[in-house]
Amino acid sequence: MKNYKLLTPGPLTTTGTVKKEMMFDHCTWDDDYKQITQKIRSGLLKLAHVSPETYTAVLMQGSGSFGVESVLTSVIGADEKLLVVANGAYGERMADIASHAGIRHEVYREEYNRIPDAGKVRKILADHPELTHVAMVHSETTSGILNNIEEVAKVVKEAGKVMIADAMSSFGGVDIPVEAWGIDFLISSANKCIQGVPGFSFIIARLDLLKESAGKARSLSLDLYDQWKTMAVDGKWRFTSPTHTVLAFARAMEELEAEGGIPARNRRYADNNWLLIEKMKEMGFEPYIRNQYQGPIITTFFYPKDCNFSFLEMYHYVKERGYAIYPGKVTEADTFRIGNIGEIYRADIESLCSIIKEFLEEKRNER
């Protein structure tokens, strides 16, 4: 089977040493394994710039969406109400989760190429005092935009509400001082910027609010409080844990530290992103996000004006040469996406762009 480099926001390309960790088996009740879980939890708190006295880290089986659903269905009570701030598919997914779970909620929608306005959030909270929680995506991979979650969180805390941040594709690649920004619950996933593999999500949770959520959960397996209560004792998971993913993630955290931590990884991702946009522009591809809000994780591109090919044609041409890219997810625009997180370096961006250039030349010669 051919090994492709995935230029997507995840599941992403990781190192061979991370993959190698999955070759070993561990019993979930083994003390060494439980210590690994506890080491991961304490390491995540350090990455989030929070203390174990005020925050805790809870690992939850499943994809990132499982983590988001766990938080929304565990911490918002029947007499409370959620404001979802959405400017992309993953903000809309939070609203969908709320609808399915019967959580009372409102949605503030913004255009996909615009960041949500903190002033509008302030007004909504003032006009609707019944709102108790606010949920928002940090890096919206629908478009590649990086939302100003710090500014929105400030407004939310001034109003005395609970702030929930989906930092799925940013945590570990963008520095997020969770407590300083006023984030009460932050959700991310093993297979994003920390460069592990899929299998679990994790939640950085304010301890007092987590304890207050006892008995609110609408789900047995996604009960965040009960998961924390079990895991906090000795590191044991409530139900079957994704053992191989946990081992891979522990290794990935070591490699993040060896690279220089979040600042160094952010520089690499940002450098990848700047180079990608520069080279794609040379070939006639303009980015969908054209301002300072373009994040370093993934970029959405418009097709060139004289486009005479389909995404699938380009996708298969690129994939046959060792790389995989993403189709578009912006409903009102004809676009495609290229991610640059994971074990991706300048040489990969240059190689990808040369492949796309060859593809364009072949298509022009067919005219």
Side-chain angles (χ1 to χ4, degrees), residues 6 94 109 123 145 198 294 336 367:
L6 303 176
M94 289 196 284
R109 291 183 171 89
K123 186 175 187 310
I145 201 166
Q294 168 62 55
F336 65 95
R367 292 179 180 178

Side-chain angles (χ1 to χ4, degrees), residues 25-216:
D25 294 327
H26 247 298
C27 292
T28 57
W29 47 263
D30 185 273
D31 285 341
D32 288 344
Y33 179 75
K34 288 188 283 188
Q35 287 173 16
I36 291 169
T37 297
Q38 297 295 56
K39 185 178 179 181
I40 288 172
R41 294 178 67 220
S42 62
L44 288 171
L45 295 183
K46 290 177 183 176
L47 292 178
H49 306 287
V50 296
S51 71
E53 287 73 38
T54 51
Y55 282 80
T56 188
V58 187
L59 313 185
M60 181 64 68
Q61 296 94 325
S63 69
S65 292
F66 282 59
V68 174
E69 187 158 353
S70 172
V71 172
L72 297 184
T73 60
S74 294
V75 307
I76 303 170
D79 58 343
E80 296 173 313
K81 191 173 182 181
L82 170 69
L83 172 64
V84 175
V85 179
N87 65 333
Y90 296 97
E92 295 292 348
R93 184 174 295 179
M94 289 196 284
D96 199 18
I97 289 169
S99 294
H100 276 76
I103 297 170
R104 295 196 306 146
H105 67 283
E106 300 283 344
V107 184
Y108 157 39
R109 291 183 171 89
E110 192 55 83
E111 298 295 328
Y112 283 15
N113 61 348
R114 294 173 58 88
I115 66 165
D117 185 332
K120 290 183 180 179
V121 173
R122 179 184 286 110
K123 186 175 187 310
I124 293 168
L125 294 177
D127 291 345
H128 298 273
E130 75 278 10
L131 290 166
T132 55
H133 297 69
V134 178
M136 176 179 167
V137 175
H138 185 209
S139 174
E140 180 55 85
T141 54
T142 304
S143 63
I145 201 166
L146 190 68
N147 290 323
N148 193 338
I149 205 159
E150 179 184 7
E151 192 174 281
V152 172
K154 182 181 178 182
V155 166
V156 171
K157 299 319 292 179
E158 287 173 352
K161 313 299 182 180
V162 176
M163 182 68 196
I164 300 168
D166 172 344
M168 209 62 60
S169 61
S170 58
F171 186 82
V174 177
D175 203 20
I176 306 172
V178 170
E179 187 167 17
W181 283 7
I183 298 169
D184 299 303
F185 294 91
L186 178 143
I187 311 124
S188 193
S189 181
N191 58 297
K192 301 293 185 179
C193 294
I194 295 178
Q195 298 184 186
V197 298
F200 70 88
S201 56
F202 56 86
I203 296 94
I204 311 296
R206 220 179 86 187
L207 259 174
D208 58 343
L209 293 176
L210 179 60
K211 290 176 181 178
E212 284 178 16
S213 73
K216 291 182 180 179

Side-chain angles (χ1 to χ4, degrees), residues 239-298:
F239 304 120
T240 303
S241 69
T243 53
H244 300 85
T245 298
V246 171
L247 298 175
F249 190 75
R251 175 66 183 186
M253 289 188 73
E254 292 174 1
E255 294 185 1
L256 171 60
E257 185 176 358
E259 185 174 349
I262 294 175
R265 185 153 292 178
N266 178 261
R267 281 194 300 273
R268 175 162 63 86
Y269 288 174
D271 287 346
N272 285 346
N273 188 255
W274 292 331
L275 179 63
L276 173 67
I277 291 173
E278 179 183 291
K279 288 193 167 291
M280 292 295 284
K281 278 185 174 181
E282 291 172 0
M283 293 182 281
F285 295 95
E286 289 292 331
Y288 177 71
I289 304 299
R290 301 168 184 263
N291 52 36
Q292 70 269 32
Y293 301 116
Q294 168 62 55
I297 307 303
I298 189 170

Side-chain angles (χ1 to χ4, degrees), residues 212-233:
E212 284 178 16
S213 73
K216 291 182 180 179
R218 293 164 169 81
S219 165
L220 171 67
S221 58
L222 296 179
D223 187 328
L224 186 64
Y225 174 81
D226 277 0
Q227 183 86 338
W228 165 76
K229 192 175 178 182
T230 300
M231 193 168 281
V233 175

